[in-house]
Amino acid sequence: MCIRDRVSTQSTGFCKTQKVMRAIFFLCLFLSVFAQDGINSGEGFQALLFPGNGGVELGTGENRTSLSSNLPLSFTFEGWFQLPNTAADGLYKSIVSRYDSGADGSYGNRYADFVLQVQASGSLSFFMGNGKNDSGYGLLITATQFRSSVWSHVAFTINTPLGAVNPSVVQLYYDLVQWNSTWSDGVRQIPSPSRGRNIFLGDYFNQDGNHLWWKGYMDEVRFWSGVRTQAQLAQFRQRVPSYNNPALLAYYRFNDGAGLTLSDSTPNKYDGRLSRVTAFTSPPLWKVSGVKIHVDVRVEPDTATNFFLPGFAPNGSLSFTYVIGDLPATGQLFSNGVRVNNSITPLLTNQVLYRASSASGTSDSFTYFGTYNIFNPSAQEKSPTSVFVQVGDIPCVPDACGNCGGDNSTCTCYPLPYGGYNLGELEKIIALYELEQSYDLISALSHNLENSTLNATVQAALAYQPLIRQLQTFTQDCLEVLCDKLSGYLSSYVAVPLSSSP
């Protein structure tokens, strides 16, 4: 509602301007959803187009600071991005950031915890401030030129040793090509939880008093706890991981389609809020995505399962023709009661029936794509979608630590040179070592906190906050497992009767 000043004659014009801006916004929002070109089969569906004067704050309502305040010191960020225009446009374009101001209220790169951006020259870069001076970087990576008019997968990992604040190494990925850098100088600038500093998509406020907005598309953004390996990034960058994966902190699918909320698909519900319409900002617009996200389906052996092939276009999921590309190798595919025997078979609907083989623990796949005209190659989407079919349960292949599909690296919470030897005595030694190291860690942190509480500066006190959160996480995730191990070992000792003396 517009509040008018009865004395001012300018208020009426101002109110009319507000109404016009609001009408234009909703008109653009409608057109952005229903008036795009292109087909995208698979689970990519929609994306956001950032216009260059608006972003997304990852926090809404009662959970305004939830993701930022619960972000561990070691984490992984990944997503898909596209610049429709040249990357070397003379503008700094921020993808994701978390930053704070100094004690004097000023902003600057030195106060930024992390910023991922495309520089004015078009280079992809990542930096972390060290609090020292206006150009003080604790860590800076300048990677390759960001390609225009194509979707690219970008990720970074921050690896912080246990008990430390500064990271030991940061890895930046551009379409899985990797760059590394180690921490150089100063202290990592972690915002105080009491200040409620959130994480931003498509926005960063720098020392020049400017918002460095993203000016392009964004989709499929994920935050993971811990450091994801290059192989893990490759495995799921075009597939949908489980929303209940405990390592998945937040997952933004960008499929809301309308409104000013960006939903988090995980149980954490760290929803984001799009910029509102003001004289200086406007929200990102909902568009058809160009990111190819393949489909995963699980079926029981020797059964027939109906499912819909996902896809999206400006006029809906049924506004184009679905076409089967490659056929499944072991299963059988049916459409409208008729078996699909040939490649490049158009379907009447997007529903298919898959008849699985009797072999459990196997996998199968087939492909499909969308087109407006089966006889015109230019009318079909650029790349097909793969459907990965898992028949029955995936066989468990345990590593030496007993984890299915593991790499022998999770037998201990500490970085021991342990190669996964499956020896009972060695496991007991490791458990006792973990117990000793855990006690030393807790004692050291407690002692440091007690000695520094009275004399600590604000900055020093804030530096201990991450240590406390790490200790809490360590206690929950590591010591409980350790106690279970010790309990099992003690039980095994009790179960063995003592031999009698001769």
Side-chain angles (χ1 to χ4, degrees), residues 353-376:
L353 181 145
Y354 177 86
R355 186 178 297 278
S357 67
S358 59
S360 182
T362 60
S363 59
D364 197 6
S365 67
F366 64 92
T367 66
Y368 71 99
F369 60 88
T371 182
Y372 289 118
N373 186 342
I374 188 64
F375 303 106
N376 183 4

Side-chain angles (χ1 to χ4, degrees), residues 301-314:
D302 201 23
T303 60
T305 304
N306 280 290
F307 54 88
F308 290 93
L309 301 177
F312 194 74

Side-chain angles (χ1 to χ4, degrees), residues 3 40 133 140 143 166 171 200 297 314 358 366 410 457 492 499:
I3 301 176
N40 190 26
N133 52 61
L140 173 63
N166 294 337
Q171 298 169 320
F200 289 88
V297 178
S358 59
F366 64 92
T410 58
T457 63
S492 66
S499 59

